[in-house]
Amino acid sequence: MIEGNLMKSIPRSAVVTGAARGIGAAIALRLARDGFAVGVVDLDADQCAATVASIEAVGGKVAVAGADVSRSEEVAAAVEQIADQLGGPTVLVNNAGITRDNLLFKMSEDEWDSVLGVHLRGSFLMARAAQRYMVEAGWGRIINISSTSALGSRGQVNYSAAKAGLQGFTKSLSAELGRFGITANAIAPGFVVTDMTRASAEKVGLSFDEQVEKALVKIPIGRPGRPEDVANVVSFFAGEDSAFVSGQVLYVAGGPRG
């Protein structure tokens, strides 16, 4: 078990972006339960208090950094701060995201740029900052959170383009970094109950119950997703059992997608 022996000698440190709530918070907690020290990153560090408390409650070690992931200087400072406190990160989960939904003819350049900036530019900047620690360790895991919207979604040309771009980004990282012992995979959640999906219901004039009912028509399993459903897959990709899995996109959507 070369992989297992190596795993014992490398820093068990992870960074999760967009970790203040929802899917990001669930991922951070799951990785802490798996034995990783976890650096949680969000736009406002103070908003991560609940995530930090949940990690500390299970005996986990945690550091928090505030950063706009679309700004290179803030990303560099956040990753360096976490590395100083927890050791160089060997797991990176690019989860930070925003929505600025609109139909194409109404969409502003700012709505396009801000979504692409957080999802794509942010993932690029975080991966670039974190990979040097992984290369040094000879082991790493980069996990990008895409979406079923990568397949196309009305009123989300910006979000869909960003999430599809993350899938190509993931495959390219896999090809480029594999020789350093680093894998890269993407997870594409379907409908998951979060503050973001609740907000999207309001934007289209639906109650959240109505939105869930509409979503369930397309989910064979018959229930909406939970943040923990995504966190469970992150746990797999971040661990030893996924050592020979790289460049893949796994749809976590309660049924076949992609």
Side-chain angles (χ1 to χ4, degrees):
M1 287 292 293
I2 296 174
E3 177 81 5
N5 292 334
L6 177 61
M7 189 70 178
K8 293 176 182 178
S9 65
I10 65 168
R12 290 181 61 83
S13 173
V15 175
V16 182
T17 67
R21 60 184 63 82
I23 291 173
I27 290 169
L29 179 58
R30 176 56 192 262
L31 289 175
R33 290 184 184 276
D34 288 346
F36 287 93
V38 182
V40 295
V41 178
D42 213 289
L43 187 61
D44 183 351
D46 291 340
Q47 295 297 312
C48 293
T51 304
V52 170
S54 69
I55 291 171
E56 291 178 337
V58 299
K61 188 175 181 181
V62 61
V64 62
D68 178 344
V69 296
S70 70
R71 296 182 176 274
S72 59
E73 67 280 3
E74 294 187 27
V75 165
V79 173
E80 184 175 357
Q81 175 189 331
I82 290 168
D84 287 344
Q85 295 182 50
L86 304 178
T90 49
V91 172
L92 168 65
V93 183
N94 283 313
N95 169 74
I98 61 172
T99 56
R100 297 290 185 270
D101 295 351
N102 222 331
L103 294 173
L104 175 63
F105 77 100
K106 293 181 179 180
M107 185 169 289
S108 68
E109 292 177 17
D110 181 65
E111 288 170 332
W112 174 270
D113 290 342
S114 59
V115 170
L116 272 289
V118 172
H119 291 272
L120 271 181
R121 178 181 169 87
S123 295
F124 155 68
L125 292 174
M126 288 296 304
R128 189 178 66 176
Q131 59 85 32
R132 67 184 183 93
Y133 297 100
M134 301 179 191
V135 170
E136 182 179 347
W139 191 98
R141 302 286 190 261
I142 297 174
I143 303 161
N144 299 313
I145 305 302
S146 179
S147 168
T148 55
S149 292
L151 303 173
S153 180
R154 184 177 184 273
Q156 290 191 313
V157 293
N158 49 4
Y159 188 77
S160 295
K163 291 305 193 182
L166 277 175
Q167 296 187 15
F169 176 66
T170 298
K171 293 177 183 295
S172 296
L173 288 180
S174 171
E176 188 172 321
L177 299 176
R179 67 191 182 96
F180 300 107
I182 302 167
T183 66
N185 290 287
I187 299 169
F191 185 84
V192 178
V193 176
T194 65
D195 290 344
M196 184 179 287
T197 51
R198 290 181 184 278
S200 68
E202 294 177 6
K203 289 178 183 177
V204 296
L206 295 175
S207 71
F208 188 63
D209 287 343
E210 288 172 330
Q211 188 186 40
V212 170
E213 186 176 347
K214 184 178 179 181
L216 289 181
V217 174
K218 300 178 182 179
I219 303 175
I221 283 179
R223 69 163 174 86
R226 299 182 290 258
E228 292 75 18
D229 293 319
V230 181
N232 291 340
V233 181
V234 169
S235 176
F236 168 68
F237 281 142
E240 297 178 55
D241 291 341
S242 65
F244 203 56
V245 180
S246 193
Q248 302 304 305
V249 180
L250 180 56
Y251 282 79
V252 181
R257 296 290 179 94

